[in-house]
Amino acid sequence: MIEHDPVISEYEHEKFRPREAEALRTLRKVASMVKPVMRQRGWKVGILTEFWPPEKNLLGLNWNKGQKICLRLRYPYDERQFLPIEDIVDTMLHELCHIVHGPHDEPFHNLWNQLRNEHEQLVRKGYTGEGFLSTGHKLGGGRIPMHEARRRARASAEKRRTLTAGSGQKLGGSPVVRGQDIRKVIADAATRRAIVTKGCASGTDRSRGIVEETTKNGFRTKAEEEDANEEAIMQAYIELIQEEEREKYGDSYLAPSNENPAGSQGKAISSISSR
């Protein structure tokens, strides 16, 4: 079984902030949740780093198409309290789109929609990060064959589906429960999108200064080599969401790739390097 290099090479948390160990764990958790969408597209990030800029609205930054991605992990008015993990993951998905697109235009939002959809499908099927299934227990023992990884992923997805049956559809990462005003759910999702977009410092005059500040204040931790069993489980989940997408789009289905990162939601691009 092939072992891949890490899709994220290093993590960088702020060494003078309280609860720094939790900050590093949060960065790793966010990375583990988005690795399937990155792996499908052949994307790599050099450094995933924490930042806590004085601008209270800033949430994320992608520097030089993935050389470094900065994420706000803590509330702007209380550095001891961490933001909800799903909010941080959504910001990470937004910043990953800047590997391909600069401006927040229609192709950018099409790609962000696709990444969000894939993430929702992964969560809905029980994916909680590398090396974990719905039980939350770390994989152990020898290498597992691919057919066993697929079986475990399908069993986890079915268990998750049974447990969440009747809870409603998901929209923008939030469950829609019975009796909830769908118009409010849609409005909240639109608000969240606007907040993340306005909180993006990518391509702004502040971006270079922010990157320099994180380098000065950060403590780097090198990512470990990807475990083969974790890779197998991740690939099994990728296959599950591709099956669901194929059923949705039929003959027009296009699998996400480096050349076509938005899959069926976008048009193929010649290459990322040509941007």
Side-chain angles (χ1 to χ4, degrees):
M1 187 177 293
I2 298 173
E3 298 204 25
H4 294 277
D5 292 332
V7 293
I8 295 173
S9 300
E10 294 180 285
Y11 302 101
E12 187 176 67
H13 67 280
E14 293 207 353
K15 54 191 174 185
F16 301 117
R17 301 279 175 207
R19 302 172 65 184
E20 60 175 297
E22 184 169 349
L24 178 57
R25 283 196 299 272
T26 300
L27 289 172
R28 283 175 162 156
K29 177 64 175 178
V30 170
S32 74
M33 293 302 296
V34 303
K35 280 181 180 179
V37 303
M38 294 180 66
R39 184 69 75 201
Q40 283 199 90
R41 296 160 174 84
W43 289 346
K44 299 261 183 161
V45 169
I47 306 169
L48 181 61
T49 184
E50 169 189 18
F51 79 150
W52 203 65
E55 299 90 342
K56 308 300 183 187
N57 69 305
L58 292 187
L59 297 172
L61 163 66
N62 182 326
W63 174 256
N64 197 22
K65 297 188 177 182
Q67 181 178 333
K68 174 178 277 194
I69 288 182
C70 307
L71 298 174
R72 179 185 287 280
L73 306 184
R74 309 163 191 262
Y75 282 97
Y77 298 102
D78 186 353
E79 64 180 354
R80 298 191 62 83
Q81 300 300 317
F82 286 74
L83 293 164
I85 190 71
E86 275 300 313
D87 288 357
I88 303 172
V89 169
D90 195 29
T91 301
M92 178 66 173
L93 294 174
H94 177 103
E95 297 306 332
L96 284 173
C97 295
H98 284 298
I99 293 176
V100 181
H101 302 293
H104 296 130
D105 53 13
E106 183 177 357
F108 178 96
H109 284 285
N110 286 341
L111 179 54
W112 190 15
N113 285 340
Q114 179 65 23
L115 300 192
R116 281 176 144 189
N117 289 343
E118 290 177 22
H119 172 67
E120 282 187 12
Q121 290 175 49
L122 286 165
V123 172
R124 204 163 60 235
K125 295 181 185 302
Y127 183 81
T128 58
E130 67 213 18
F132 290 83
L133 290 177
S134 57
T135 56
H137 295 303
K138 189 77 172 174
L139 291 171
R143 291 192 177 188
I144 60 175
M146 196 61 217
H147 68 83
E148 174 62 12
R150 293 189 181 102
R151 187 197 67 77
R152 294 190 188 190
R154 289 184 183 279
S156 176
E158 178 60 24
K159 181 178 180 180
R160 180 79 173 187
R161 186 190 67 80
T162 301
L163 290 173
T164 58
S167 62
Q169 299 298 311
K170 292 179 71 66
L171 179 64
S174 300
V176 181
V177 298
R178 287 195 181 109
Q180 193 170 3
D181 186 348
I182 188 65
R183 290 172 297 183
K184 183 179 185 303
V185 174
I186 293 172
D188 289 346
T191 299
R192 170 67 190 164
R193 178 184 290 273
I195 289 172
V196 175
T197 301
K198 291 179 181 178
C200 176
S202 302
T204 66
D205 294 339
R206 268 286 282 140
S207 58
R208 181 179 293 276
I210 289 172
V211 169
E212 291 174 352
E213 289 165 16
T214 60
T215 301
K216 181 176 67 175
N217 299 328
F219 181 86
R220 290 191 187 180
T221 302
K222 187 175 179 60
E224 297 176 355
E225 186 178 68
E226 304 285 11
D227 178 79
N229 285 343
E230 294 170 349
E231 284 286 304
I233 292 293
M234 187 189 310
Q235 182 58 39
Y237 273 99
I238 288 173
E239 291 176 6
L240 282 179
I241 63 174
Q242 287 183 347
E243 283 181 17
E244 190 169 311
E245 290 280 288
R246 193 172 287 108
E247 290 177 4
K248 176 181 177 182
Y249 289 102
D251 293 340
S252 64
Y253 172 71
L254 291 173
S257 63
N258 185 274
E259 295 76 20
N260 180 39
S264 298
Q265 290 212 36
K267 296 179 180 179
I269 56 174
S270 56
S271 68
I272 290 177
S273 60
S274 67
R275 291 275 173 177

